[in-house]
């Protein structure tokens, strides 16, 4: 029997190898047939020397982020290698595309054929493992249904609460025209608004800068930078030491855990015999508090913490970045500032209602143009769940369908899409709000994503930004640029100007 062991092992190995080769042959044959039937051709190939892990691609990406040239280098890749081209990220074959038809297929018409996938889950799991931002399938559907009611029109339109924070913002801006970094104030302001909406109490970082200054503010920044770096490292993310990242994760988790406990305690009080009477002492019983509403649906502390964390980062950074980028432009485009003030003057100095905000067309044009030239999120990605076909990007003409194998990472960079001259005209690099007078909704413009996974807080962000712009321009007559340096990228989970927004505001 012992003497037969080697031959038995050899036979077993032969069967396994034979089965594997047979399966691979069937897959290859099936794929070749599908490629032929659909007229597919491969897209252009981005040159890289490591065909297994694409280590040079990882190195180039991390280096360009440090040099603050990632956006310009990626845009040049599309200009040189085409609007759709292939490359590699660790174990994943990659297709990068800025073709609207391909993006529409990935995000909408073939939505169920893609998932967020392990690259993003691996990158963000230390901080947001249970968040809607990294969920897929039924888990994502549950999270979406879980969160969507909280962004109803009544909550989005709570302008009275918003005005109380605007007052703190106005007090923080020097009235003597001296230089101020609006980017810093906007991040504090949106932190206050978001925490008030989420927890029923603001962190108060504008009236009390120490509340969200120093360690906590830096922890939020380090978490975002670390997560983006982990995405670029791919399967190597957990092999590279990141002690500062994990220390920051612990700080953010501790902050969220504190508010989760408060929400659960209030829920328990309300469920008790005297709950309604005691609960009313802590918060206005008629006011919506996001964390408390969520606590009514689950007692899972990790789910609550991560969902709240995801909403906090999105709520704070999205609006702060949009406002910062817009005022960066306004300080350089006095004609736009003047036009905006003329439109806002129609309110005759009164506080705008939600409906009146929507009627300020030029303000909407300015926000759209800011989101086009300076997308809050520089790009996103999906992983193919099955073999499938994307409609365009292949062959010498770059118009043939392309075959996408199961497991392929499809990436699209919004900043490059939004600056295509064949889509936006020769002035695609210019800030031109009036282009939106005739521009229609399309897959050429995706500041908040598209399809079923579009940003759940989009209207909240736009309302907050619109109201804030109106109130600032009602208060200040002029804006002066105090820093002539060009917009310089700073990439984390969002993309902002590395030098802030140094301006003087004149009454």
């Amino acid at each position: 029997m012992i003497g037969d062991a080697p031959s038995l092992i050899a036979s077993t190995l032969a069967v396994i190898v034979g089965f594997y080769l047979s399966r691979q042959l069937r897959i290859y044959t099936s794929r070749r047939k599908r490629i032929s039937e659909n007229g597919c051709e491969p897209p252009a190939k981005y040159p890289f020397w490591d065909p297994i892990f694409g280590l040079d691609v990882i190195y180039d990406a991390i280096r360009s982020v440090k040099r603050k040239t990632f956006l310009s280098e990626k845009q040049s890749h599309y200009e040189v290698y085409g609007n759709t081209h292939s490359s590699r990220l660790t174990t994943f074959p990659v297709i990068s595309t800025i073709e609207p038809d391909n993006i529409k297929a990935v995000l909408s018409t073939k939505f169920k054929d893609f998932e967020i996938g392990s690259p993003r889950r691996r990158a963000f799991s230390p901080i947001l493992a249970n968040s809607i931002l990294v969920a897929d399938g039924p888990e994502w559907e549950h999270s979406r249904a879980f969160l969507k009611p909280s962004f109803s029109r009544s909550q989005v339109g709570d302008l009275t609460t918003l005005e109380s924070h605007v007052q703190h913002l106005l007090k923080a801006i020097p009235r003597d025209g001296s230089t101020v970094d609006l980017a810093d104030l906007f991040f504090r302001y949106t932190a206050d608004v978001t925490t008030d909406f989420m927890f029923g109490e603001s962190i108060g970082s504008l009236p009390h800068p120490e509340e969200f200054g120093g360690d906590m503010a830096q922890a939020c920044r380090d978490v975002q930078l670390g997560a983006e770096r982990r995405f670029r490292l791919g399967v190597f993310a957990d092999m590279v030491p990141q002690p500062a990242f994990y220390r920051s994760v612990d700080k953010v988790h501790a902050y969220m855990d504190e508010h989760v406990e408060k929400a659960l305690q209030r829920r328990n009080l309300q469920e008790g015999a005297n709950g309604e009477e005691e609960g009313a002492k802590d918060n206005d019983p008629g006011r919506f508090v996001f964390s408390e509403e969520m606590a009514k649906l689950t007692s899972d502390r990790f789910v609550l913490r991560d969902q709240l964390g995801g909403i906090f980062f999105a709520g704070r950074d999205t609006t702060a970045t949009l406002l910062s980028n817009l005022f960066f432009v306004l300080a350089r485009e006095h004609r736009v500032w003047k036009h905006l003030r003329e439109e806002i003057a129609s309110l005759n100095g009164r506080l705008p209602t939600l409906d009146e905000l929507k009627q300020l067309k030029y303000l909407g044009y300015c926000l759209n143009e800011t989101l086009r030239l300076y997308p809050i999120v520089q790009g996103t990605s999906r992983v193919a769940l099955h073999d499938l076909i994307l409609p365009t990007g292949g062959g010498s003409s770059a118009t043939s369908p392309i075959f996408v194998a199961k497991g392929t990472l499809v990436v699209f960079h919004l900043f490059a899409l939004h600056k295509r001259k064949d889509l936006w005209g020769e002035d695609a690099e210019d800030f031109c709000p009036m282009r939106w007078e005739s521009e229609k909704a399309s897959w050429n413009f995706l500041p908040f994503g598209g399809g079923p996974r579009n940003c759940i807080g989009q209207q909240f962000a736009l309302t907050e930004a619109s109201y804030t712009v109106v109130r600032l321009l009602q208060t200040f007559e002029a804006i002066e640029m105090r820093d002539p340096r060009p917009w310089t990228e700073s990439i984390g989970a969002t993309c902002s100007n590395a030098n802030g927004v140094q301006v003087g505001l004149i009454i």
Side-chain angles (χ1 to χ4, degrees):
M1 291 294 292
I2 296 178
D4 293 336
S7 60
L8 181 61
I9 294 173
S11 298
T12 302
L13 288 175
V15 170
I16 293 173
V17 170
F19 176 79
Y20 172 79
L21 293 176
S22 175
R23 182 174 179 275
Q24 292 301 112
L25 180 60
R26 288 197 305 273
I27 292 173
Y28 175 80
T29 303
S30 174
R31 286 176 172 176
R32 293 309 304 171
K33 181 180 180 182
R34 191 171 184 184
I35 289 170
S36 176
E37 290 175 347
N38 288 276
C40 297
E41 294 186 81
K45 188 175 182 180
Y46 174 79
F48 53 93
W49 56 260
D50 180 0
I52 300 176
F53 294 116
L55 293 176
D56 52 321
V57 177
I58 297 173
Y59 174 78
D60 289 344
I62 292 175
R63 182 184 60 177
S64 65
V65 170
K66 288 182 178 179
R67 291 179 174 178
K68 304 186 186 305
T69 59
F70 179 83
L71 301 185
S72 59
E73 289 185 23
K74 280 295 179 185
Q75 189 169 350
S76 71
H77 291 171
Y78 286 107
E79 292 169 354
V80 173
Y81 303 107
N83 293 331
T84 302
H85 54 267
S86 66
S87 61
R88 193 163 193 85
L89 177 67
T90 62
T91 58
F92 287 87
V94 175
I95 290 178
S96 298
T97 184
I98 52 171
E99 286 291 353
D101 286 346
N102 287 342
I103 297 173
K104 178 182 179 181
V106 173
L107 297 182
S108 182
T109 57
K110 295 180 182 290
F111 173 76
K112 292 185 177 180
D113 294 326
F114 289 89
E115 65 174 1
I116 290 296
S118 61
R120 191 190 293 187
R121 282 198 299 272
R122 183 186 299 111
F124 287 89
S125 61
I127 184 67
L128 300 172
N130 300 288
S131 168
I132 188 175
L133 300 178
V134 295
D136 276 314
E139 182 184 349
W140 169 78
E141 292 175 0
H142 174 73
S143 292
R144 183 87 175 187
F146 185 64
L147 296 172
K148 192 172 182 179
S150 300
F151 290 91
S152 66
R153 189 180 190 277
S154 61
Q155 310 312 327
V156 169
D158 184 6
L159 301 184
T160 301
T161 299
L162 197 55
E163 175 62 23
S164 67
H165 296 294
V166 167
Q167 289 299 317
H168 291 307
L169 175 63
L170 293 174
K171 289 177 183 177
I173 298 173
R175 297 305 177 101
D176 60 359
S178 57
T179 301
V180 62
D181 180 6
L182 282 182
D184 176 64
L185 294 185
F186 285 147
F187 273 95
R188 293 181 183 279
Y189 165 69
T190 55
D192 290 355
V193 173
T194 304
T195 51
D196 201 354
F197 168 69
M198 288 172 56
F199 307 130
E201 56 185 22
S202 170
I203 198 171
S205 64
L206 276 173
H208 307 290
E210 71 281 359
E211 292 295 328
F212 201 73
D215 287 351
M216 188 58 189
Q218 188 60 45
C220 289
R221 182 64 178 162
D222 287 346
V223 161
Q224 294 181 329
L225 291 173
E228 283 299 309
R229 185 166 181 256
R230 286 171 59 83
F231 180 84
R232 294 185 181 90
L233 288 170
V235 296
F236 302 110
D238 294 323
M239 303 178 193
V240 177
Q242 291 181 287
F245 169 71
Y246 284 104
R247 284 196 297 271
S248 296
V249 167
D250 290 341
K251 289 176 183 176
V252 174
H253 279 172
Y255 175 72
M256 294 298 163
D257 286 340
E258 177 184 343
H259 288 284
V260 167
E261 288 303 318
K262 288 182 179 179
L264 290 173
Q265 288 171 10
R266 288 181 181 132
R267 187 201 66 181
N268 292 337
L269 282 173
Q270 292 168 1
E271 290 177 349
N274 300 315
E276 292 184 8
E277 180 181 348
E278 294 184 51
K281 295 177 183 178
D282 290 323
N283 279 322
D284 177 357
R287 187 181 173 201
F288 178 92
V289 178
F290 188 80
S291 59
E292 293 180 16
E293 294 302 311
M294 288 180 62
K296 294 175 183 177
L297 302 175
T298 181
S299 298
D300 189 317
R301 286 170 168 76
F302 294 114
V303 169
L304 288 170
R305 181 189 70 191
D306 292 351
Q307 295 287 19
L308 289 171
I311 297 300
F312 171 76
F313 282 116
R316 183 188 79 128
D317 294 3
T318 298
T319 311
T321 302
L322 172 55
L323 287 169
S324 297
N325 288 333
L326 174 58
F327 277 82
F328 175 87
V329 173
L330 292 177
R332 289 156 174 78
E333 298 281 353
H334 290 170
R335 60 180 177 82
V336 178
W337 174 275
K338 181 181 178 182
H339 194 158
L340 265 179
R341 278 197 33 101
E342 289 172 352
E343 181 179 66
I344 291 169
S346 66
L347 295 169
N348 296 317
R350 69 177 181 274
L351 302 183
T353 65
L354 188 61
D355 288 334
E356 286 174 329
L357 284 177
K358 293 179 179 179
Q359 293 169 12
L360 298 174
K361 299 297 184 183
Y362 190 70
L363 173 57
Y365 298 163
C366 288
L367 292 175
N368 276 351
E369 189 69 347
T370 302
L371 290 166
R372 184 185 71 83
L373 278 178
Y374 308 102
I376 295 166
V377 178
Q378 52 88 12
T380 189
S381 64
R382 298 288 188 271
V383 174
L385 289 168
H386 320 282
D387 290 349
L388 54 91
I389 309 295
L390 288 181
T392 190
S396 57
S397 66
T399 59
S400 297
I402 59 174
F403 175 79
V404 179
K406 177 183 177 180
T408 298
L409 181 68
V410 181
V411 181
F412 21 94
H413 297 96
L414 304 180
F415 62 91
L417 169 70
H418 291 174
K419 293 183 179 181
R420 281 183 54 176
K421 291 185 178 181
D422 59 324
L423 299 178
W424 298 96
E426 289 301 313
D427 63 349
E429 299 277 352
D430 300 333
F431 189 87
C432 182
M434 291 309 296
R435 77 172 77 245
W436 293 96
E437 191 172 31
S438 58
E439 191 70 36
K440 305 299 182 183
S442 73
W443 290 90
N444 299 351
F445 178 62
L446 298 169
F448 295 99
R453 285 195 80 125
N454 68 331
C455 177
I456 197 171
Q458 173 179 347
Q459 202 54 52
F460 184 91
L462 291 175
T463 299
E464 184 182 355
S466 298
Y467 188 88
T468 307
V469 173
V470 168
R471 296 294 290 116
L472 285 173
L473 270 72
Q474 284 179 325
T475 305
F476 298 98
E477 289 190 5
I479 186 171
E480 294 180 358
M481 176 183 66
R482 298 290 168 78
D483 182 358
R485 288 176 293 181
W487 192 92
T488 304
E489 68 185 61
S490 176
I491 297 179
T494 58
C495 191
S496 58
N497 182 24
N499 301 316
V501 183
Q502 311 293 334
V503 300
L505 289 165
I506 314 300
I507 295 179

